[in-house]
Each structure stands twice: as C-alpha cells, then as structure tokens.
Amino acid sequence: MTTKLVNMLLLLLILCVGAGYLYYSYLISERRLGDDLRPIYFPVAVGAGIIVLSAIELLRAIRSRTEDDLSPFEMPNLGKLLATIALMAAHFLVWQRFGLFYPATFALFVGLVLVYRATFTMREIGIAVLWSGVFTALLYLVFQYAFGIALG
Amino acid sequence: MLEMLSYDVSDLFTFGSLGAIVFGSLAGLIIGTLPGLGATIAVVLLLPLTYSMTPLASILMLIAAYQGSEYGGSISSIILGIPGTPAAVATTIDGNALARQDKAGLALGYSLAASTIGGIIGGIVLIFLAVPLARLAVRFSDPEFFLIGVAGLIAVSALSSRNGVKSALSVFLGLMVGTVGLDAFTGIPRYTFGTLELLEGVGMIALLTGMFAFSELFSIITRELGKTFASGSKKLSTGLSLAQLRLILRPATIGAGIGSVVGIFPGMGAGPASWFAYIQAKKSSRTPEQFGKGAPEGIAAPEAANNATVGGALVPLLALGIPGSPSTAIILGAFIIHGIQPGPNLFTNSGDLAMGLFYGFLIATLVMYVAGRLVTNFFARALTISNTYLVPVVLILSIVGIYASKGLHFNLWVALGVGLIAFLMKRLDYSLPSFILAFILSPIIEESWRRTMLLSDGSLSIFVVRPYSATLLVLIVLFLLATALGLSRARMRNLE
C-alpha cells in the first residue's frame, strides 16, 4: 500500500466524519428550531470547513505524483504494535470488569517486555517478572500509599 | 508591580512547594533526556500527582518539569547526537561536534548555563508582560475573545505544519471534537450519542495523553524499539569558568530574547525558536566559520531560546487563559483540576497564586541549574535504558494519569482510539498542536461568537466599531497578508 493510498483513505474517512457531523447537527436543529441561541451555528460552519478542506486535499492527493506519495507506507514492527494495542485493551477490560489494577498492570508489563524482546527463555521471563514486580510495587507505593489515589 | 513586592515568599519555601519544584525539575530532566520523550510527556506523566497537592505546588511542579525537560533534551543531543526533544535538534550540530572532541562535559556546561539564562529571561518576560496583558484583557469582551481565539488558530495552523491544508484541517477537526458535550447555552447534548461520559465533553487529559504520549510510544514501537543508546562518556563535569561563561553570555541573551517572544505565539514553541536563535547567533558571531564544529555560541543560543519559550508560553495562559502549546494546555488542566480559571481575573481572584507562580518560576529555573550540575552525569547514563523497558513504563504511567484525571475507565478507551488516530495523522503530516489548540479554543470561540451575535443583534459591525476588536482585526489581517506574502515568495523561490 502506498503512502498516497493511505493518505486518500484517511481523507475519505475525514470527509465521511464531516458529513456525519453535519447530518447530526441537522438532527439537533430539527429538535430546537427557532431558538435564538442555536447550538448548531458553529458546528455547521466547522462541518462545512472539514468537508471543503478534506475535498481540496483529496483532490490534491489524487493528482500528486511525488516520490514521497508513491513510496510504500511502511510500518515496521506492525505485529508488535498490534500486540501492544491488544494487551492494552485486555488490561483496560480486566481493570474495568474486575477492578484488578495492580495484577493487570503486572501482567501488562511482563507481556509488553516479552513481546518487545521476542525471546521466551526462562531468564528473559524471570527478568521481565522481576522488573514488573518492582515497577508495580513502586506504583502502589507512590499512588495508593503516598498520594492516596485509588486505582483498584 | 507593587503586588510583587507585597507577596509573602515564605509560601514558596515550604517543604511542599520546594519539594514539588525539585521533584518536577528532576523528572523533567530525566524524561527530557530520553530520546523521543519531551516536555509534553513529562508534564502529562506528572499530572496525576497534582490531585493531592496544593494548587501552587502542583502547577510549579509542572512548570519545573517543563523547564527541566527542555534542558534534558540537550543531554542526548550532545552525548549521542540524537535530540531528546524537537527543540534540541539545533543543539545537536555544535553540541555533538564538541562532545566528539572529548568535551561532552563542557558542551553540557554551555547548554546548562544557557538554559538557565534563557529560563530567567523568559521568567522576567513572563512577569513583565503577563500582568499588563491581563490588565488590558480585563477590558476585553466577547468580540475580542472571539478574535483572540481565531488569531490563535490562524497562527498555529500557519506555523505548525509543512502542509497548510492539512494543518487547517487539523484545526477544524479539533474544533469539531471541542463541540462534543452539553451545549453551554441551551443544555442540549451534542454529538454524545447517548454516552453519559461525554456530557462534559471529551476528557482533555485523555485526549492530550492519547495524542502525545500514546502516539509517540506507538511511533517508538514502529521505529526504534530494539534500540539501546550507548553513552560513551565516562565523567561529565558541567562547570564553566568565568571566561567560558562570558563567551556564551551574548548568544544566550540573544537566544533568550528570541525564545521569549516566539514562545508567546501559539503553535510555534521551542523547536522553531531554537532554530531562529541558532541562525541569529551564527549571523552575529565573529567566528561564524566555527559553527558546526563545536562553537559554544551554537550550543548556547538554541538552548537559551528553548528554555525562554517556557516563560513566553505561560504569558497567554496566565493573562488570557489561552494555552499556546500542548504543555501549557496540560498546565491549564492542572489549574482546572484545582477549580481555578487562568485568565485576566487570575490576578485579582487568586493574586497570591499568580505571584507565587512568578517567583516560583524563577526558583524552578535556579533549581534546574543546581539539579543539572548535580545529576547530569547520572542522567546521561539513563540513556542506556532499553526502549523495551522504557515503553511499558511510560505507557503504564500514562494510563494511570488518564484514569486519575476523572476516575473513568471510558477515558482509557478514548485515549487509545485518539492515540491510534494521532499516530496515523502524524505519519501523514497533520498537525497535532493545531488540533489540540483548536480543541481547547473551541468552546471559547463558539461561546464568545454566540454572545457577540446576541449583543450586536446579529450584526458583524460590532467587530469594527469597538476599538480593541478593530485593532485585533487589523492585526489578524496583517498577519494573514504577511503569511500569504511569505508563501508566495517561497513559491517563487521554488520555481526559480
């Protein structure tokens, strides 16, 4: 996939968001028509601006033939990035559902280090567990104990 | 200025205030030192600690971290040749050249002394400009605040990205996100899709952390995850002799002057300021041929400039309630957490706090110098921390910061989504500072516009008949003309 294509896809998405935003503004105006302090004046101007600007940029992107635009859109370590996002999402879910912030954080730290290291020897796992334990304990001491911020 | 003299400075020398400054400086120094992490992340990471602190101590801690990280950025620039912050890029040229001559300690000494000079001059500019500007702003009404908001957006979109249309688009997207939540006039929920957590709008801390911390961490994962930087230096002494200090006094003062002024303008920040200062120092040097080979002026000017922007950037925040940079936007968040609204009335409603911040700013600069002298050697070793461990640490601290801001898990998901979108936007040359400033200014612009239209019965002539708004309008037009002229000149040069 080229940079140009990714650029165009994002611009299309922004164009759709702008259109959706305008449509939603229209729905709000339907409900409170005739109000002196109409809450949609500003959003309509903003929505129109988004549509106009993204359309201009989209046209420019379509016509563009620069080297940068035609180069492939590279994303090294994509697997590690996706794993990071998945681990973060899992951490949020466990924390949200069960309130287990510290155990979930301990597991997140170990998981991230192992994903980034990509080696799963006992030694690597041991080091990750050790650092994660130290870091989680520090978090507990600073936030829960010293500052009284309840995290779970 | 009389208020300055009557302020009881003993408030600043309590364990809480002084401890906060020292802690903020040290945290800023180490975070600024680490390549990829800058002032914004330093301030974001410290924000959760401010909830249980006094307003003065908490804001001083963030200001100290902001200052410290600007100097910290030069440590990796000089030792490794890798700028810790975008503002330290100019420092790399001569700083690293001097370090390669086995004079890394001397280069850091120049950087530290110049950063301190820059910080102090920035602080003086803050003190002398913020109060008069606030006094003037007390006379402003809605038309003026609307125009100031618009001027801020024009400045940030014109100056903060290579692609003007994408920068303007970033502004409009920020304005759009800023309209989410209850309408302040009618109480109608807008764009909340029935989500209770969005009634108060999108959480500012979640948005900032997602946009600057998460997106930066995602960039590190995709670019330089396996990297462990090696610091070749063994012992670094950052002390300077009087003759060496005299050598950098002039370029540091020039840099500080440039940085203070540039810092006031929204969206410009420390990066451009340090380049302007570097270029100016080279132009005015008696030995311009030494630039690029380890010239002390080439280190002093940009370093003084990037620290001076801190004081400059606080001027519009304290005097008008309008942040000019992502870091000051987070500091605005700390004000709001403590129920204080910065702006023209800060000096009358919370005069002691304002005076405490002025004096505290100068103390924070001096603490940065002392901390820099004592711990630069130690922090230079922090550069050897692998990103494999650094990313999880910063990620988890960011998560804690988001949750602690409102106690809502919902905001964690918002930050994750924002982080991913911001990561992509940054790759494609959109302007994140434009987005965030527009998000913060959105309610100010919308509400002042609607009140203006009510006042004038829908007539736009209100902007021309009021002297202050007419002046602001002229300034905006002049700025637009200057920008257009600059763009057309650049286009002509490109064609040639």
Side-chain angles (χ1 to χ4, degrees), chain A residues 7 11 21 24-25 32 37 39 43 53 57 60 74 76-77 85 92 95-96 116-117 127 147 149, chain B residues 48 52 163 165-166 172 176 179 183 186 188 190-191 221-222 225 389 403 412-413 420 427 430 450 454:
Chain A
N7 192 16
L11 282 164
Y21 182 70
Y24 201 82
S25 306
R32 295 285 176 116
L37 296 166
L53 287 170
E57 190 56 29
R60 201 155 80 171
E74 284 172 358
N77 290 332
I85 293 162
F92 295 170
W95 187 10
Q96 197 168 354
Y116 299 156
R117 283 261 185 235
I127 292 171
F147 287 95
I149 298 171
Chain B
S52 49
N163 184 327
V165 179
K166 280 186 176 172
F172 276 90
M176 180 186 79
T179 59
D183 176 42
T186 58
I188 296 173
R190 297 187 302 184
Y191 320 106
I221 292 167
T222 54
L225 185 61
Y389 286 93
Y403 181 77
L412 298 171
W413 297 102
L420 283 170
R427 282 283 307 264
Y430 287 81
R450 286 164 75 179
L454 271 181

Side-chain angles (χ1 to χ4, degrees), chain A residues 80 112-120 124 127-128, chain B residues 225 228 386 388-389:
Chain A
K80 288 181 180 178
L112 289 174
V113 171
L114 292 178
V115 165
Y116 299 156
R117 283 261 185 235
T119 47
F120 300 97
E124 288 290 346
I127 292 171
Chain B
L225 185 61
T228 301
S386 160
T388 306
Y389 286 93

Side-chain angles (χ1 to χ4, degrees), chain A residues 7 10-11 14, chain B residues 166 169-170 425-426 428-432:
Chain A
N7 192 16
L10 185 63
L11 282 164
I14 293 172
Chain B
K166 280 186 176 172
L169 196 49
S170 309
M425 284 173 72
K426 207 160 58 169
L428 294 171
D429 208 21
Y430 287 81
S431 165
L432 301 188

Side-chain angles (χ1 to χ4, degrees), chain A residues 5-19 54 58, chain B residues 430:
Chain A
L5 185 60
V6 178
N7 192 16
M8 281 163 50
L9 287 174
L10 185 63
L11 282 164
L12 268 175
L13 179 70
I14 293 172
L15 197 67
C16 293
V17 168
S54 48
L58 192 60
Chain B
Y430 287 81

Side-chain angles (χ1 to χ4, degrees), chain B residues 112-133:
Chain B
L112 180 59
S115 296
T116 309
I117 293 169
I120 289 172
I121 292 178
I124 293 169
V125 168
L126 169 68
I127 291 168
F128 282 93
L129 267 188
V131 177
L133 189 60

